[in-house]
Amino acid sequence: MSTPVVLDPMTLPSDDNVNPYTFCVELKGSSWFLQRGKMIAYYGSIDFQGIGHGRLDRLVRTSFHSPLHASDWVVAEGSGKMLLADRAFDVNSFDLDEGNLTIRSGNLLAFQPTLALKQSIVPGFLTLIGTGKFVAASNGPVEFLEPPIRVDPQALVGWADCPSPCHHYDHGYMTGVMGGLRQLTGLGGASGEEHQFEFVGAGTVLLQSSEALMPEQATGATPQQAGVPGGGAAGQGGQGAPRLPGQLGDLQRRFGL
Amino acid sequence: MAQFRLQSSKVLAVSLTGDGVKAKNGSMVAYDGQMAFKKMSGGGEGIRGMVTRRLTGEQMTVMEVKGHGTCFFADRASEINLVQLHNDTLYVESSNLLCTDGGLRTGTSFTGLRGASQGNGLFTTTVEGSGQAAIMSDGPAVVLRVSPQYPLNVDPGAYIAHQGRVSQSFQSGVNFRTLIGEGSGESFQIRFEGDGLVYVQPSERNTVGGEV
């Protein structure tokens, strides 16, 4: 019989993985930001506060109206060891050193307050800037790859120090009448891999080893402004004529007209 | 006495030499040798157990497996954790219990508010005696020791089982902020004090307290 390892505050690792699915954070009077409901257990005395409820934060909250998804985040403060986990997904910690990293919002679990969390201009992504440690969840272990690379949209977890993520479509597949028909109907064999994200430049791309996406976490609304991606109706206005009911989406463009 | 071992992290192998084990109904995936499977009503606790389980909502359908050879058990690819009991009591949710040695007694006990916060009802299953048992978790369980100087707080959704002499109390951090929808998401916790082990899974069930 294999006896399970029994852990106590002495034997729990400090800021490291307990097993591939559980991460242990040691707090020594410091604080960590974590996503709501990802703490599974803790030793010691730790307080969990919704963001904007501290002594100073309250002031910040009342005078600072950013579109920050504040209500999804919790500040853990105190001393002790706490365990983080997310739906039995793989969790990993990463260190940033004067760097930046953009990550899918559902994958980020926790981060040190020395990092600044910002909403990315890519909808559904968050950017961390600064120096510190953060914990991210992924479906299967994370792979680190160097650009130039094209990745499947569902497998992408995030990218670091990396410029220019853009869409890439397989050209032959997408153009012409046949391409349009295939795209619309799926007849003639859609491999499901006609569309990728392309990365070039120096940096690292983080991939998960599965195409199962994590439920997205609300990143907060983008400002309703022209020129802001995902900024709602105001962002799309101005270009081209409004779509007519009979126009069937982008059909005419797909057929190469 | 039945020998339990893990064939893999998700398959339990039990070697039997004429003795029996109790296992979750329908969890056998393979066996070699001679085996007899018999469904036990009321968790094998007789008429009294049948009634209690019906009343408490801690229903479990259990089968008795007897024979010579090796029997393999698995359930929905859940991770399996072995528990060794030495004249000890294991408290586990009936849905997390896979298999127990035939010599162990199972029963129900009142858990109070903790159960209510988990959405699992007010009662839990107890396994008493000496021998081995296997419990299931979503992701490999982490076993945490509770000692008098180190009490432990656990999220109700991640709790699966505990053993030993520990007292549990329900902690609620509900305050006016929770009421205005600004809660921390960690308002409900179970605090374990005393001497024993607590099994925690790296995943959270949906609980009543989870959204608060």
Side-chain angles (χ1 to χ4, degrees), chain A:
Chain A
M1 175 188 167
S2 56
T3 24
V5 189
V6 178
L7 294 159
D8 62 32
M10 298 293 115
T11 53
L12 274 174
S14 165
D15 294 345
D16 203 356
N17 274 70
V18 179
N19 62 32
Y21 312 94
T22 315
F23 187 85
C24 179
V25 170
E26 183 169 17
L27 289 173
K28 291 175 184 156
S30 50
S31 54
W32 267 72
F33 285 97
L34 42 140
Q35 234 183 53
R36 247 164 193 266
K38 306 302 183 204
M39 183 278 297
I40 56 167
Y42 70 88
Y43 286 106
S45 60
I46 299 177
D47 272 347
F48 297 90
Q49 305 256 343
I51 285 187
H53 301 300
R55 298 149 291 280
L56 282 170
D57 301 22
R58 169 162 247 168
L59 187 74
V60 174
R61 188 178 175 79
T62 45
S63 59
F64 179 58
H65 289 276
S66 83
L68 201 73
H69 29 87
S71 60
D72 294 316
W73 291 89
V74 178
V75 189
E77 272 184 311
S79 56
K81 286 189 171 176
M82 79 180 157
L83 297 177
L84 306 176
D86 187 12
R87 291 157 288 174
F89 286 129
D90 286 68
V91 291
N92 276 297
S93 70
F94 304 90
D95 286 298
L96 271 185
D97 184 21
E98 289 293 316
N100 70 79
L101 178 128
T102 304
I103 185 168
R104 200 178 282 279
S105 62
N107 290 70
L108 184 63
L109 222 67
F111 61 96
Q112 279 181 329
T114 48
L115 289 167
L117 180 72
K118 315 238 160 147
Q119 197 177 349
S120 169
I121 60 168
V122 182
F125 282 79
L126 299 169
T127 301
L128 288 163
I129 302 172
T131 303
K133 204 183 256 290
F134 67 95
V135 183
S138 59
N139 199 337
V142 169
E143 298 292 330
F144 297 87
L145 299 164
E146 301 246 316
I149 188 174
R150 292 181 185 148
V151 306
D152 188 283
Q154 285 90 52
L156 180 68
V157 170
W159 60 91
D161 304 326
C162 189
S164 73
C166 52
H167 293 279
H168 175 88
Y169 296 93
D170 283 354
H171 186 72
Y173 201 88
M174 302 300 296
T175 48
V177 175
M178 283 314 289
L181 275 179
R182 265 199 302 254
Q183 171 81 13
L184 278 175
T185 61
L187 295 178
S191 71
E193 309 286 3
E194 297 80 31
H195 170 220
Q196 301 104 30
F197 289 156
E198 178 158 353
F199 289 87
V200 290
T204 315
V205 179
L206 281 69
L207 288 185
Q208 62 181 9
S209 44
S210 139
E211 295 193 1
L213 278 183
M214 315 221 154
E216 211 150 272
Q217 201 73 31
T219 52
T222 33
Q224 298 284 313
Q225 265 173 27
V228 176
Q236 303 163 355
Q239 29 173 310
R243 190 154 286 157
L244 296 170
Q247 233 170 327
L248 281 179
D250 284 336
L251 201 59
Q252 80 280 47
R253 216 185 307 156
R254 289 204 204 286
F255 287 129
L257 299 173

Side-chain angles (χ1 to χ4, degrees), chain B:
Chain B
M1 201 141 154
Q3 282 303 313
F4 286 48
R5 72 186 159 82
L6 291 180
Q7 180 73 18
S8 75
S9 67
K10 294 172 180 178
V11 178
L12 170 74
V14 179
S15 310
L16 295 171
T17 47
D19 45 358
V21 292
K22 280 191 238 176
K24 184 174 174 172
N25 212 14
S27 62
M28 185 276 289
V29 288
Y31 70 91
D32 60 29
Q34 289 292 317
M35 293 284 165
F37 301 90
K38 194 176 102 194
K39 186 179 169 193
M40 301 169 93
S41 303
E45 292 149 27
I47 300 285
R48 184 150 172 259
M50 223 155 124
V51 175
T52 348
R53 287 204 174 264
R54 183 65 59 155
L55 286 177
T56 55
E58 270 290 302
Q59 281 161 30
M60 54 178 196
T61 42
V62 174
M63 58 182 182
E64 187 188 41
V65 184
K66 253 189 182 156
H68 293 267
T70 310
C71 193
F72 298 90
F73 299 97
D75 189 39
R76 283 172 293 164
S78 305
E79 295 282 333
I80 298 168
N81 309 276
L82 293 181
V83 179
Q84 180 78 50
L85 290 172
H86 302 284
N87 215 353
D88 207 352
T89 310
L90 175 77
Y91 297 82
V92 58
E93 289 306 319
S94 61
S95 53
N96 286 101
L97 187 60
L98 178 67
C99 187
T100 59
D101 194 286
L104 292 168
R105 292 178 304 280
T106 52
T108 42
S109 83
F110 181 69
T111 58
L113 269 173
R114 191 205 84 221
S117 71
Q118 280 172 288
N120 278 340
L122 293 165
F123 295 86
T124 194
T125 295
T126 55
V127 181
E128 272 177 277
S130 298
Q132 284 174 298
I135 56 177
M136 297 183 287
S137 57
D138 182 16
V142 178
V143 190
L144 296 168
R145 183 179 299 283
V146 177
S147 50
Q149 66 268 44
Y150 295 117
L152 175 72
N153 294 273
V154 178
D155 189 289
Y159 163 87
I160 48 172
H162 73 270
Q163 70 180 99
R165 279 180 304 281
V166 291
S167 67
Q168 43 180 322
S169 53
F170 183 71
Q171 287 206 323
S172 141
V174 177
N175 49 26
F176 76 98
R177 285 172 196 146
T178 317
L179 299 179
I180 58 171
E182 299 279 358
S184 63
E186 311 289 7
S187 297
F188 293 104
Q189 286 150 9
I190 322 164
R191 186 174 175 85
F192 289 94
E193 282 167 283
D195 229 329
L197 302 177
V198 178
Y199 296 78
V200 182
Q201 65 181 9
S203 157
E204 297 193 1
R205 281 183 291 260
N206 283 328
T207 58
V208 181
E211 288 300 309
V212 184

